[in-house]
Amino acid sequence: MTQRSVPVDAYIIGGGPGGLATAAALKARGLHGVVLERADRIGSSWRGHYDRLHLHTPRELSGLPGLPIPKEMGRWVSRDDVVRYLELYAAHHRLDVRLGAEVSRLDRSPDATSWTVTLADGSTLTAPYVVVATGFNHTPHTPDVPGLDDYTGTVVLARDYRNGAAHTGKDVLVVGTGNTGTELAVDLAEHGAARVRLAVRTAPHILRRNTGPYAAQYTGIAVRHLPTALVDRVAPIVERIQTPDLSEHGMPRPDTGLLTRVEQDNAIPVQDVGIIDAIRTGTVEPVAALGAFDGDAVLLADGTRLQPDLVVLATGYSQGLEPLLGHLGVLDDRGRPCERGGRSPRGAPGLWFTGFTNPISGMLRELSIDARKIALSMALRKRREIKARRAAA
């Protein structure tokens, strides 16, 4: 990672896969992007994930622009190898990454020709363009559940969970039925938790991660741009073929459209890496949704009262963009960017976003596509601005 004394075209906020991919795509078009990463190492979010995590997308579809993931990392790349790949990627492309540079605010310059980036230490940086790539999994979401603040039991956020070794013999309630929640439930069971219950608010769509050599992501790519209603109608047929009916074990078939949930809630289907067998064998028990906390007890929506040794909250993330740029009018009512990829929001020329959706076609694949779109859009904008300045001279 080098820092070059050349003019900066863009500051890229975030040193994860999206930020690095964008920096490399800009460099390929002759643009100088500087990555600002708040942590002391790149890929900090990936370093903090739970130990057993592997990509749910195959290696061949998960590489970033200009450098495939090495074959020796296997088809389903582990967390540690993802981190290693990001380090290799930054070094391979000789990206300009500035560590320990936490951004606190983003503003349009008074003359509206550039952007001002304010760092946490009060210093400022200025460049014509900015790309925000702080990521989909930025800020853990703590659910607004009555009694949580006064609960006397032990609660762990999924971001702080590492593995089940410390919870052998415990009675655990996992809240959240996304990929993280279901995988943590399996991990706890495999590490010998005495009992693992999984609180289900909305029954998830569960699909096999792969059928032989065919990865589920290929299907996700194929249906990405099909009509939502069509995919919603076909998905239950596929699920019945792939996934056994778990209703008698407490996990009913979902009554929501598969692609509708992806588009409206960013809730991609659960990739089975053990949850089906765990539910069928009873090592993970689906129960009613979390209702409230009451002193040292947990109340479920069906009135059941539990006293688990541990509650794991795998209830998703928020993007945490409001403090950074909520004043710019570029976020929707959920706090997510109004535009993504190669499009700048109206009224904010020269500002781009990447990594704020959870696409059915694979996060890393879409980050790569967005990176190339942003680089092309930025290169064209710079060319137009240069021509305009020359014409005005």
Side-chain angles (χ1 to χ4, degrees):
M1 288 173 277
T2 61
Q3 297 189 19
R4 300 152 46 195
S5 57
V6 297
V8 175
D9 289 300
Y11 284 109
I12 302 163
I13 305 173
L20 298 179
T22 301
L26 293 181
K27 189 171 185 178
R29 289 192 173 273
L31 299 167
H32 182 202
V34 175
V35 178
L36 303 176
E37 167 54 47
R38 63 178 178 176
D40 59 358
R41 295 179 293 179
I42 63 172
S44 59
S45 292
W46 274 94
R47 296 175 191 274
H49 286 313
Y50 50 95
D51 292 349
R52 69 175 283 142
L53 178 64
H54 285 68
L55 291 180
H56 291 159
T57 55
R59 176 186 51 78
E60 68 268 20
L61 294 177
S62 303
L64 302 178
L67 184 68
I69 298 176
K71 290 183 179 180
E72 59 266 26
M73 293 185 178
R75 195 178 193 207
W76 308 104
V77 184
S78 70
R79 176 202 64 185
D80 291 346
D81 278 339
V82 170
V83 171
R84 188 159 64 94
Y85 170 66
L86 295 179
E87 293 173 336
L88 290 171
Y89 190 83
H92 174 81
H93 288 291
R94 298 179 63 82
L95 300 180
D96 189 345
V97 181
R98 303 185 185 179
L99 302 173
E102 182 176 359
V103 178
S104 60
R105 185 178 171 94
L106 179 63
D107 292 284
R108 193 74 171 139
S109 65
D111 61 2
T113 62
S114 59
W115 291 91
T116 298
V117 177
T118 301
L119 302 181
D121 63 5
S123 62
T124 58
L125 302 168
T126 302
Y129 316 119
V130 168
V131 180
V132 180
T134 48
F136 186 79
N137 296 335
H138 183 271
T139 305
H141 171 68
T142 303
D144 185 15
V145 181
L148 176 58
D149 291 342
D150 298 321
Y151 179 58
T152 58
T154 303
V155 176
V156 172
L157 293 177
R159 172 171 284 187
D160 299 322
Y161 178 99
R162 291 297 171 265
N163 60 65
H167 309 299
T168 300
K170 292 183 179 179
D171 182 328
V172 185
L173 175 68
V174 178
V175 180
T177 54
N179 277 291
T180 297
T182 54
E183 193 159 350
L184 296 191
V186 172
D187 188 64
L188 285 158
E190 290 180 351
H191 277 89
R195 190 171 189 179
V196 180
R197 282 175 279 209
L198 180 65
V200 181
R201 178 172 61 87
T202 302
H205 293 269
I206 304 176
L207 297 172
R208 300 288 185 183
R209 184 176 66 175
N210 59 291
T211 304
Y214 185 81
Q217 187 185 0
Y218 285 103
T219 301
I221 293 170
V223 306
R224 181 80 163 87
H225 300 293
L226 291 178
T228 300
L230 174 61
V231 178
D232 285 349
R233 285 198 299 270
V234 174
I237 300 173
V238 176
E239 289 179 74
R240 287 188 179 91
I241 294 171
Q242 288 195 2
T243 308
D245 188 355
L246 302 173
S247 299
E248 66 180 52
H249 302 285
M251 180 70 81
R253 294 281 191 188
D255 57 5
T256 55
L258 186 149
L259 193 54
T260 294
R261 287 208 67 199
V262 173
E263 293 175 345
Q264 293 184 357
D265 303 323
N266 276 313
I268 62 172
V270 168
Q271 304 293 291
D272 175 41
V273 288
I275 189 61
I276 291 176
D277 287 343
I279 291 175
R280 293 177 74 177
T281 60
T283 55
V284 172
E285 307 168 49
V287 295
L290 174 64
F293 291 91
D294 182 19
D296 63 350
V298 176
L299 302 180
L300 302 183
D302 64 358
T304 301
R305 185 181 182 89
L306 307 176
Q307 288 185 299
D309 300 313
L310 173 70
V311 177
V312 179
L313 296 179
T315 47
Y317 295 82
S318 64
Q319 282 64 67
L321 291 171
E322 287 86 352
L324 177 66
L325 42 72
H327 56 287
L328 296 177
V330 296
L331 304 178
D332 64 17
D333 57 2
R334 295 186 179 187
R336 298 169 181 166
C338 297
E339 298 289 355
R340 55 160 285 192
R343 299 184 300 272
S344 292
R346 180 174 297 181
L351 175 64
W352 290 271
F353 294 89
T354 182
F356 294 98
T357 60
N358 197 16
I360 195 172
S361 50
M363 176 71 78
L364 294 178
R365 178 179 181 274
E366 293 298 324
L367 288 177
S368 296
I369 293 171
D370 279 355
R372 294 186 177 98
K373 288 180 178 179
I374 291 170
L376 174 59
S377 180
M378 190 183 298
L380 292 175
R381 177 175 289 278
K382 182 177 180 179
R383 187 182 305 169
R384 289 195 301 268
E385 291 173 350
I386 290 173
K387 287 183 178 179
R389 287 196 296 269
R390 288 176 178 171

